[in-house]
Amino acid sequence: MAVKMQAVKTIGSKAGTRKNVLRFMWKYKTLYVISVPGIVYFFIFKYVPLLGSVIAFQDYNIFQGILASKWVGLAHFKRMFAHYDFLNILNNTLLIGLYDLLIAFPAPIVLALLLNELRLVLYKRVLQTIVYMPHFLSWVIVSGIAIGILSPSTGAVNQFISWLGFEPIYFLGEESWIRTVLIGSGIWRDSGYGTIIFLAALAGVNPDLYEAAEVDGASRWRQTLSITIPALLPTIMIMFLLHIGKFLDFGFERVYVFLNPLNKNNGEILDTYIYQVGLLGQQFSYTTAIGLFKSVVGLALIVIGNTLSKKTTGESLY
């Protein structure tokens, strides 16, 4: 009898939970309807194409299709790690990704802290608009501006170097400078736009905290260390986790517009290599294997970073 009563309670509990869920969804039906286009977009353009990753394990023939192409197992992955060009390009990608993480990632944070210290509202808004604007330029335009500024004959940078008495530097013609140019141009283009999230987080800090700190005699620097930065830490951690997820995904267009035969050895990354070998060379299975490798590494970095973040700071993506 007790078992029957327990079963009835369980069934009733499940029915009640289902009813509560349906009631909750009906209450917020407008939000669910608005989210449908986004869900459909991600399903069609993000999840369905994942099925095509199977060609990484085939000798894919465009005329035979996925179903009739020959299966080769891990042959493309073995070729990938044995190829000298791939190892050199992987090294370039890792180094550029590391420089981007160490130098470019903190740039919006520092800029947001500096903008937050401005007290003249009009000046602050004008300055924010100025630093946001480069983000809306395409990488083709950014590369044109960079090439003009860094020109060894007429560029402003080399004019200044010559004025100091040194020899001009051909920045885009020397492979030792290409990584600096890539990171520097990225900071100039995107750091201003990246401050939006951090400034929004700072807007939520209680002003009473700063007033209390001033009463206690804390300087602006001390207030930044004790109030502002701790308030930003949860946002910084979430953005950091999102950033490391695309560690190997530096961007095709961002690099391709700066590449030339003189700097290609240090500047070519996985994205440009995939374009050259996959689209131009029509080695679809090989480059799919490279893309799958990038995705697995990105997923592993997010999982590891999220776990460490949850244990150390309590902040996590999931």
Side-chain angles (χ1 to χ4, degrees):
M1 187 67 179
V3 174
K4 291 182 179 180
M5 289 294 293
Q6 184 65 30
V8 171
K9 288 182 179 178
T10 302
I11 295 173
S13 176
K14 290 182 179 179
T17 302
R18 191 179 300 111
K19 187 180 294 184
N20 290 336
V21 171
L22 293 175
R23 188 182 295 114
F24 178 84
M25 293 179 66
W26 179 255
K27 180 179 179 181
Y28 297 101
K29 58 183 179 298
T30 305
L31 295 178
Y32 283 98
V33 171
I34 292 174
S35 67
V36 168
I39 295 173
V40 172
Y41 167 80
F42 277 97
F43 178 76
I44 295 176
F45 295 102
K46 300 296 181 180
Y47 289 100
V48 172
L50 287 176
L51 300 175
S53 299
V54 71
I55 69 174
F57 306 95
Q58 296 179 320
D59 186 10
Y60 178 70
N61 187 303
I62 192 172
F63 299 105
Q64 294 178 343
I66 294 177
L67 297 179
S69 295
K70 179 182 177 182
W71 291 90
V72 295
L74 300 176
H76 295 298
F77 293 92
K78 294 178 181 178
R79 173 192 170 191
M80 181 174 67
F81 289 108
H83 202 286
Y84 169 77
D85 283 344
F86 174 79
L87 295 178
N88 180 56
I89 292 165
L90 178 61
N91 179 62
N92 291 340
T93 308
L94 291 173
L95 285 176
I96 292 174
L98 182 62
Y99 296 155
D100 187 59
L101 186 65
L102 296 178
I103 301 173
F105 176 75
I109 302 172
V110 174
L111 186 56
L113 292 174
L114 294 175
L115 290 172
N116 188 60
E117 293 300 315
L118 296 177
R119 292 295 172 261
L120 190 59
V121 178
L122 179 61
Y123 177 66
K124 181 178 180 180
R125 289 177 179 175
V126 170
L127 194 58
Q128 282 180 309
T129 303
I130 292 173
V131 297
Y132 291 168
M133 287 176 65
H135 175 77
F136 300 99
L137 300 176
S138 70
W139 278 109
V140 176
I141 297 176
V142 172
S143 68
I145 294 173
I147 291 170
I149 293 176
L150 301 176
S151 171
S153 56
T154 60
V157 174
N158 275 305
Q159 292 289 337
F160 179 72
I161 292 175
S162 299
W163 180 74
L164 293 176
F166 298 99
E167 290 293 325
I169 302 173
Y170 189 9
F171 290 98
L172 293 176
E174 296 182 17
E175 60 183 30
S176 59
W177 282 99
I178 182 61
R179 293 167 184 163
T180 304
V181 172
L182 291 173
I183 300 301
S185 60
I187 292 174
W188 177 77
R189 180 181 183 268
D190 293 327
S191 59
Y193 190 77
T195 60
I196 293 176
I197 294 176
F198 299 108
L199 287 174
L202 290 175
V205 180
N206 191 344
D208 293 341
L209 296 175
Y210 293 105
E211 294 177 4
E214 287 181 4
V215 171
D216 291 338
S219 63
R220 293 301 303 176
W221 176 245
R222 188 61 193 176
Q223 292 176 37
T224 301
L225 292 178
S226 301
I227 301 174
T228 308
I229 293 180
L232 273 180
L233 277 179
T235 305
I236 292 174
M237 187 55 63
I238 295 299
M239 297 304 295
F240 177 77
L241 292 175
L242 293 174
H243 192 88
I244 64 173
K246 55 179 183 178
F247 185 76
L248 296 181
D249 192 16
F250 193 68
F252 164 75
E253 188 183 67
R254 178 176 179 176
V255 177
Y256 187 75
V257 292
F258 287 101
L259 285 184
N260 60 56
L262 298 176
N263 59 35
K264 192 174 183 180
N265 188 54
N266 278 9
E268 188 168 24
I269 62 172
L270 290 176
D271 292 319
T272 56
Y273 182 66
I274 288 173
Y275 168 76
Q276 179 184 347
V277 177
L279 295 181
L280 301 183
Q282 298 182 3
Q283 300 182 44
F284 304 113
S285 292
Y286 177 54
T287 50
T288 301
I290 297 174
L292 192 59
F293 166 75
K294 283 177 51 184
S295 300
V296 171
V297 171
L299 177 61
L301 288 174
I302 286 182
V303 172
I304 294 172
N306 191 76
T307 303
L308 294 176
S309 175
K310 185 182 294 185
K311 290 183 177 180
T312 55
T313 66
E315 300 294 334
S316 61
L317 289 173
Y318 55 88

